[in-house]
Every structure is written in C-alpha cells, then in structure tokens.
Amino acid sequence: MNASSYPALARPASAHVVVVGGGTMGADVAVVLARAQCRCTVIEPDAGRAAALPERVRGNLAALQRAELSHHVTVAAALDAVDWADVGLVIECIPERLDLKQALFAELEKRAPAQAILASNSSSFPISAIGQGLATRARMLGLHFFMPAHLVPLVEVVLCEASDAAAADALIAFMRRCGMVPVRVARDLPGFLANRLQHALSREAFALIDQGIASPEDVDNAVRFGFGFRFLAAGPVMQRDHAGIDVHAAAGATMYPTFCNDDHPARCLTERAADGRHGMKTGAGFYRWTPETIAAERARYDKLLRAGLELLSNELPEIEP
C-alpha cells in the first residue's frame, strides 16, 4: 500500500480518532488531537475517570490558550458506543498488561474500518507481541507518546516486521500536522528509541550514585544545567559536529572502558523498588514528598515544559488542521 491508502488521516480536522483509555496519558493524547481540531472519542469505562476527563482536557487546552477546542473531545463508555464507520486511527492507552492489549486489538480488528490504523502507546510491549496472531498486523504500529503528551513534542512511530511502511508514513505525516515531532523507529526492540537512550544515561547515573561518586541532587544538576541544557538546542549527534568529532572520539576511548555495563538495575533503584520508596506516589523516592510539594513540583515542571515549547516554537511542526 501507499500513504494514500489511509485517506482518513489526510487532515486532522477531517479525521475521527478513537483513544482507548481515559487515564492521564489518554486524556493528554486527546489534548494533542483537539489542539489540531481533530474529532476525538475517548473510551473510558470507569465512571469517575470518564466524568473527570472533559475538565482535564479543557484545563490543559486552556493552559495552551486553546480552551475553545475542547468540544472536539467526547467520552464514551465502551467500544459499542462508537460509530466506527469513519474512524481513521485508534490509539490504545490502556494499562500495561499484554493480555489486556491483545484482547483489545482483537476486538479493534473486528470493529475498525479496513483502512484505519491501529496504534498502541505501550512503552513496554512491542507491537509485534500485541498483534501476534491477528490478520491485520500490517496496519498495527506503535505510537509512543511521552508524559505529559501535550507538552512533550516527541512521539515515536514504531514498526515491526509485519508493519506496512505506508501506514507508518501516513501516521508520521498525521502526527506532524498535529504539531508533534514524530520519529520513525524501524524495529520494535525493547525501549524503542528514546527510552533506550534515556536508560543508557540512567544506568551510568545510578551507578555513580551507588559508588558514592555523586549525590542524586548533583546528578540531576549535572544533567539539567550541563549537557541536558544544551540538548534543548542540539541532540548528541549534532553536538559532536559542534564540538569536533575527533575530540569526542578521543574522550570516548578514555571513558568507555570505565562505564557501567551492568545488565541489571542499580542497587539504589532496586532497594527503593523493594521497600516502597516509589517516588511521588508513595511520598518518598530519592526525594521526600508531601501533597503540597508534589503540587508545587508539578506546577514548576509543567511551567518549564511550556517555556521550552515556546523556545522551540519556530522549530516545531506547524499545526495543520
């Protein structure tokens, strides 16, 4: 097939997208779609989450000065409540359980039109595993957003060996018209692209903490106010051209033999995972948290992300409804 085989995604404003799962990620993905004037139906069977979702969507759009677009998002309680005839894309945002995802996609295969793309936001499971045994695996892709999805521009479009390249092309073009920065990941290996890079950094960071070389606070500051600050302007590949590839090759030859190469998480992580220090949700992780400090931190975090979006606004794809 070619990209024209997926005409329902030609323009966001004429598309109908179904998001399955109205939790934090599903609600924020709905904001991404509404921002581009795309009609979005969110499936959320939990009555409490379904009732709260419209206000969450409206609030996040208001923070982007686009509150008037919230009417593009509607909530339904079940797959049966959707008029599937004009659906061009389904984005799965349900809990990270492979059996649940496989069961859902088996249902979606029966309901969604033949030219609709079926996508999973899973960060844990490859699309090849989710679609195992299904007849329409060619139209299945990973579509991995990063929290908060409406503030982090990146989205990964992940293919498996059965994926139709034209479906990926159509989805990439659609996401770009929604103002996102899509990257194509040619194989659905664990962690895809961005999380593999992130975990490679984290492995070294937590090893340095385990060895007593740096505190958690100093690790965070080294990233945020050092090379991480520069990453807003240029990624690691472009940075090599800025600084000189010969310099970085020589530095790598010196450092690489001393890097952590463990095949298991660091002690400081496994201890906290085991004893209940899971971060904000339990009141302690590497830092201590109260309801007040959590609210303040999340406000600070979102404010900086919005400021970063403003700084990058001339380099982001323009929304094309």
Side-chain angles (χ1 to χ4, degrees):
M1 294 186 181
N2 54 46
S4 62
S5 301
Y6 303 93
L9 296 185
R11 293 177 56 246
S14 61
H16 180 195
V17 178
V18 171
V19 175
V20 185
T24 299
M25 182 60 82
D28 290 350
V29 169
V31 171
V32 171
L33 297 166
R35 191 176 60 195
Q37 301 179 44
C38 176
R39 180 159 62 100
C40 173
T41 303
V42 180
I43 308 296
E44 179 47 66
D46 181 88
R49 278 197 297 268
L53 193 142
E55 181 56 29
R56 178 183 175 90
V57 168
R58 193 204 66 77
N60 284 339
L61 282 167
L64 298 171
Q65 300 182 329
R66 305 303 299 272
E68 74 280 2
L69 298 177
S70 61
H71 70 278
H72 289 286
V73 179
T74 58
V75 184
L79 298 177
D80 287 339
V82 176
D83 179 1
W84 289 94
D86 63 350
V87 172
L89 170 65
V90 183
I91 305 172
E92 170 268 307
C93 295
I94 67 174
E96 288 290 271
R97 275 184 48 189
L98 182 58
D99 59 331
L100 294 180
K101 293 178 188 291
Q102 288 174 330
L104 172 62
F105 276 85
E107 283 296 316
L108 294 175
E109 183 180 51
K110 300 172 189 174
R111 297 167 185 267
Q115 293 178 320
I117 293 173
L118 307 180
S120 172
N121 180 58
S122 177
S123 60
S124 305
F125 301 112
I127 196 67
S128 54
I130 295 171
Q132 188 172 8
L134 295 184
T136 57
R137 292 174 68 221
R139 60 173 172 156
M140 292 181 61
L141 297 163
L143 186 64
H144 183 223
F145 294 83
F146 295 82
M147 293 180 64
H150 64 297
L151 296 180
V152 179
L154 181 69
V155 63
E156 296 175 316
V157 176
V158 187
L159 293 81
C160 70
E161 80 288 347
S163 298
D164 178 15
D169 292 342
L171 190 52
I172 287 169
F174 180 78
M175 284 290 108
R176 189 172 288 115
R177 292 188 185 104
C178 289
M180 300 294 286
V181 178
V183 293
R184 186 188 193 98
V185 184
R187 186 158 57 93
D188 60 349
L189 71 174
F192 315 136
L193 172 58
N195 275 340
R196 289 182 73 89
L197 296 173
Q198 180 174 258
H199 277 268
L201 163 64
S202 295
R203 179 168 63 177
E204 185 64 26
F206 295 121
L208 292 170
I209 293 171
D210 271 358
Q211 296 165 33
I213 292 170
S215 69
E217 294 84 356
D218 284 341
V219 166
D220 280 347
N221 285 336
V223 175
R224 289 191 61 220
F225 300 105
F227 65 89
F229 179 74
R230 298 187 310 198
F231 280 167
L232 191 65
V237 180
M238 180 68 79
Q239 283 287 350
R240 284 352 184 221
D241 274 6
H242 273 272
I245 294 171
D246 53 334
V247 174
H248 280 279
T254 300
M255 288 186 287
Y256 286 11
T258 70
F259 282 171
C260 175
N261 197 32
D262 291 344
D263 63 357
H264 55 273
R267 184 181 69 252
C268 61
L269 285 174
T270 55
E271 288 178 348
R272 285 167 171 79
D275 66 22
R277 289 177 291 165
H278 296 169
M280 288 184 180
K281 61 186 176 182
T282 60
F286 288 98
Y287 303 90
R288 302 202 70 83
W289 300 101
T290 66
E292 294 75 22
T293 60
I294 290 171
E297 169 57 20
R298 286 180 171 159
R300 182 199 69 86
Y301 183 79
D302 283 5
K303 180 180 179 181
L304 282 174
L305 290 180
R306 286 194 294 271
L309 275 178
E310 182 61 30
L311 288 172
L312 292 172
S313 59
N314 291 333
E315 299 184 40
L316 296 175
E318 194 170 329
I319 294 174
E320 302 176 23

